[in-house]
Amino acid sequence: MKVFTAAQIRSWDQFTISQEPVSSIQLMERASMVLAHWISEHCKNHKKLAVFCGKGNNGGDGLAVARILYLKGFDVDVFISDSKIKFSEDASVNLKRLRDLSGISVRKFDQNEYYNFDDKTIIVDALFGTGLSRPLEGEYKTLVEQLNTKKNIKISIDIPSGLSADEIFDNDPVILKADYTLTLQCWKRTFLHPETGKYTGKVEVLDIDLSQIYADTTDSEYSVIDDQQVGSIFIPRQEFSHKGSYGKAVIIGGSYGKIGAAVLATQSALRTGAGLTFTLAPECGYEILQISCPEAMFIKGGEQIMTNFEFDKDFTCGIGPGLGTHPDTDKSFLNFLKNYSQPLILDADALNILSKDPKYLELIPKKSIITPHPKEFERLFGSTDHSFKRLELAREKAKELDIYIVLKDHHTQVITPQRNVFYNITGNAGLAKGGSGDILTGILTSLLAQKYSPEQACILGVWLHGRSADIASEKHSKESMLPTDVIDALGAVFEELNRRVEKNL
């Protein structure tokens, strides 16, 4: 699913209006019907609504939603500004339609006695939409500050008021803290970054039937990985195939006291379907790996630490889990990279070694995949003020080095050498545990070994990782789930993908 800017979304509306054709007020009504339906279906135990409307088209949506829900039997109070700024044309139409109804009140923001809502009242935020270009100020800032003190459920229409669609505002702006954001047609970039996404609550993307032609023909460098994209990448297991059909994966890592990381990466590579899986690790991990991963073959790479990175040329390798940064390991790893040219996966201590000198980055083979978390990224490429700037730096480095960067975060980002960005929206806070990254390394290594392209491996891999974590959290909770639970859930995810393929035949 493409992520469009606020300007592109306005163009999308206008394109739809001209192509159907449909009037702007009819399009607003269509969107409001979808919004009202979601609220009526999900808020059946909350029959009272307080709808706060601005004077633009977001406010027009709110006014229409208030009218539709009132006619559905909800007790609705509407609050608007007393400022002299005129309502937009479509918002004015919906304000008149609302006032023509008896039994629904329209009050001003400054009537504070009406803000003493009972616990069952839902606050609906329709103050500002994606057109907001500066932080809130004046009465709107004061209002949002007051609403943020309320414990009531808060639902934002399209975007929480005070939040930009495309950028992060400076100087700690006031933004409505929503429990749910009912966004129209597509994700907004600010929903996908930690500094701004924390205001959205649970995001629901509602289809209001904007032109598919516009969506297909309009370019965007940013996308959200969705089920359709994953389904187009996934290749089901063929019946008349054998282990040689699915490649050879080798996990290189482990050191004394850190063999568990190599175990997790090896287990996830096995579960992701590599035809043959090997672990190149120090002798001290031999028994642990052979007992924990009997399906994988062991290659000795040293005694207590890794000093030998030799393996067959037809292997696909993932390097880093538990590797350590002993000087002898550093030297052997860097010498290996100087003589290796195939795409590989680099994670954890492999990245920490590379971060010791900027010149080492030039040793990364073209089209390889690196998987840093924010601190590892900072050590590699330098610090940034916030995640938006970090992502832009990642785009520059992916192009410069001709590599794929999997930037791990709450919504992990896949950045391609062409500077395109794919946000992953599967996964949860249960992955905030040591070992989760090792699992991703094994998944990516296995997919690359199976001849998925590096871009396909990244997109499918981060989605698999997150979706498995979602299944694991449902069974064990985010607090108690373990990285091994995520590995165990991979089978259920592949079952989902295969059922989807069979359904589409």
Side-chain angles (χ1 to χ4, degrees):
M1 178 189 292
K2 294 176 184 177
V3 177
F4 290 129
T5 65
Q8 287 175 315
I9 292 168
R10 287 193 294 273
S11 297
W12 200 357
D13 286 343
Q14 292 305 312
F15 187 90
T16 302
I17 288 168
S18 64
Q19 287 294 308
E20 286 199 26
V22 61
S23 69
S24 60
I25 190 66
Q26 288 172 330
L27 186 60
M28 181 176 285
E29 187 74 6
R30 188 160 82 195
S32 300
M33 290 290 289
V34 173
L35 290 161
H37 176 75
W38 190 96
I39 294 172
S40 65
E41 287 297 307
H42 292 84
C43 304
K44 294 178 179 178
N45 295 326
H46 300 77
K47 285 296 183 181
K48 191 168 184 179
L49 303 175
V51 186
F52 289 82
C53 301
K55 296 198 171 186
N57 283 347
N58 189 256
D61 289 335
L63 293 165
V65 166
R67 166 174 47 83
I68 295 165
L69 290 174
Y70 172 74
L71 294 174
K72 286 178 175 286
F74 284 82
D75 183 2
V76 182
D77 287 330
V78 174
F79 296 85
I80 60 174
S81 172
D82 196 26
S83 70
K84 295 181 181 179
I85 299 173
K86 290 184 179 181
F87 283 82
S88 70
E89 184 177 345
D90 290 342
S92 296
V93 171
N94 273 311
L95 180 60
K96 183 180 183 303
R97 289 176 178 176
L98 193 68
R99 282 178 164 159
D100 287 343
L101 295 174
S102 59
I104 187 168
S105 62
V106 180
R107 302 186 175 113
K108 307 298 182 183
F109 291 159
D110 58 359
Q111 294 177 327
N112 288 315
E113 65 270 22
Y114 295 112
Y115 293 173
N116 295 319
F117 310 121
D118 62 41
D119 293 341
K120 291 291 186 180
T121 299
I122 290 177
I123 295 171
V124 178
D125 160 36
L127 295 171
F128 290 95
T130 57
L132 186 69
S133 59
R134 63 181 186 273
L136 296 180
E137 54 189 23
E139 68 170 345
Y140 289 102
K141 178 180 178 181
T142 300
L143 172 62
V144 169
E145 286 175 331
Q146 290 178 332
L147 295 181
N148 279 341
T149 67
K150 304 296 181 184
K151 297 186 182 300
N152 303 71
I153 292 175
K154 302 177 188 69
I155 299 176
S156 286
I157 289 179
D158 205 21
I159 189 170
S161 291
L163 187 64
S164 165
D166 307 320
E167 61 182 338
I168 183 170
F169 289 139
D170 295 329
N171 302 322
D172 195 24
V174 172
I175 300 170
L176 188 120
K177 187 75 166 63
D179 296 288
Y180 297 91
T181 296
L182 309 184
T183 199
L184 303 177
Q185 207 66 49
C186 71
W187 285 77
K188 282 65 179 177
R189 276 194 68 204
T190 48
F191 297 178
L192 298 159
H193 287 257
E195 301 93 340
T196 47
K198 64 184 179 182
Y199 293 100
T200 65
K202 182 173 173 54
V203 175
E204 298 285 347
V205 181
L206 303 183
D207 185 356
I208 60 169
D209 202 22
L210 294 182
S211 169
Q212 188 60 44
I213 295 173
Y214 182 92
D216 291 341
T217 58
T218 302
D219 292 332
S220 175
E221 294 176 321
Y222 304 93
S223 300
V224 165
I225 300 169
D226 58 20
D227 290 352
Q228 182 178 358
Q229 184 178 22
V230 168
S232 69
I233 292 172
F234 173 63
I235 303 172
R237 210 80 162 177
Q238 298 301 308
E239 292 298 331
F240 292 95
S241 59
H242 51 83
K243 62 187 178 184
S245 305
Y246 301 104
K248 299 176 182 179
V250 58
I251 300 298
I252 304 176
S255 56
Y256 184 81
K258 296 182 180 180
I259 296 300
V263 169
L264 291 172
T266 302
Q267 289 178 337
S268 63
L270 289 163
R271 286 288 187 188
T272 307
L276 290 169
T277 301
F278 298 78
T279 310
L280 178 54
E283 178 73 19
C284 64
Y286 171 74
E287 291 184 358
I288 297 171
L289 283 157
Q290 290 285 269
I291 293 170
S292 301
C293 314
E295 302 88 350
M297 286 162 277
F298 182 87
I299 305 172
K300 181 178 175 181
E303 297 298 331
Q304 301 290 308
I305 59 171
M306 280 294 300
T307 56
N308 175 20
F309 288 77
E310 294 181 6
F311 55 86
D312 290 348
K313 292 182 179 180
D314 59 344
F315 286 13
T316 298
C317 68
I319 307 178
L323 186 66
T325 57
H326 188 281
D328 290 344
T329 300
D330 292 12
K331 181 179 178 180
S332 298
F333 171 59
L334 294 170
N335 284 334
F336 160 76
L337 287 182
K338 290 174 183 177
N339 298 290
Y340 191 81
S341 60
Q342 297 302 309
L344 45 69
I345 292 87
L346 297 172
D347 182 34
D349 284 330
L351 301 180
N352 291 330
I353 294 170
L354 291 173
S355 69
K356 293 180 179 181
D357 189 326
K359 294 180 181 178
Y360 293 163
L361 296 173
E362 298 172 6
L363 299 176
I364 301 174
K366 306 301 183 185
K367 310 303 181 186
S368 289
I369 302 167
I370 68 171
T371 62
H373 58 57
K375 272 297 181 184
E376 289 168 340
F377 182 86
E378 181 178 325
R379 288 193 286 268
L380 285 166
F381 302 117
S383 62
T384 54
D385 294 337
H386 49 70
S387 67
F388 287 81
K389 289 186 177 179
R390 182 172 66 228
L391 177 57
E392 291 310 302
L393 178 58
R395 295 175 71 206
E396 292 175 14
K397 294 302 180 180
K399 180 179 180 181
E400 175 188 326
L401 298 171
D402 195 13
I403 61 173
Y404 293 83
I405 300 177
V406 175
L407 187 51
K408 293 181 286 196
D409 209 331
H410 179 66
H411 293 304
T412 290
Q413 299 125 51
V414 173
I415 303 104
T416 74
Q418 294 76 35
R419 293 171 52 88
N420 293 321
V421 177
F422 299 90
Y423 290 93
N424 183 51
I425 56 173
T426 60
N428 57 76
L431 286 170
K433 292 185 175 74
S436 296
D438 303 319
I439 295 170
L440 180 59
T441 297
I443 291 171
L444 294 171
T445 306
S446 184
L447 293 174
L448 203 60
Q450 293 172 65
K451 306 308 179 186
Y452 287 93
S453 72
E455 182 170 312
Q456 291 173 332
C458 288
I459 293 170
L460 179 57
V462 297
W463 184 90
L464 282 170
H465 186 241
R467 180 67 187 117
S468 298
D470 290 336
I471 292 174
S473 70
E474 291 171 5
K475 183 176 181 180
H476 301 283
S477 83
K478 296 173 186 176
E479 292 78 9
S480 293
M481 61 182 273
L482 297 173
T484 47
D485 298 323
V486 178
I487 296 171
D488 290 342
L490 281 166
V493 181
F494 279 113
E495 285 182 355
E496 285 183 2
L497 289 172
N498 279 292
R499 284 196 299 269
R500 196 177 301 163
V501 170
E502 291 172 1
K503 185 177 179 181
N504 292 330
L505 289 177

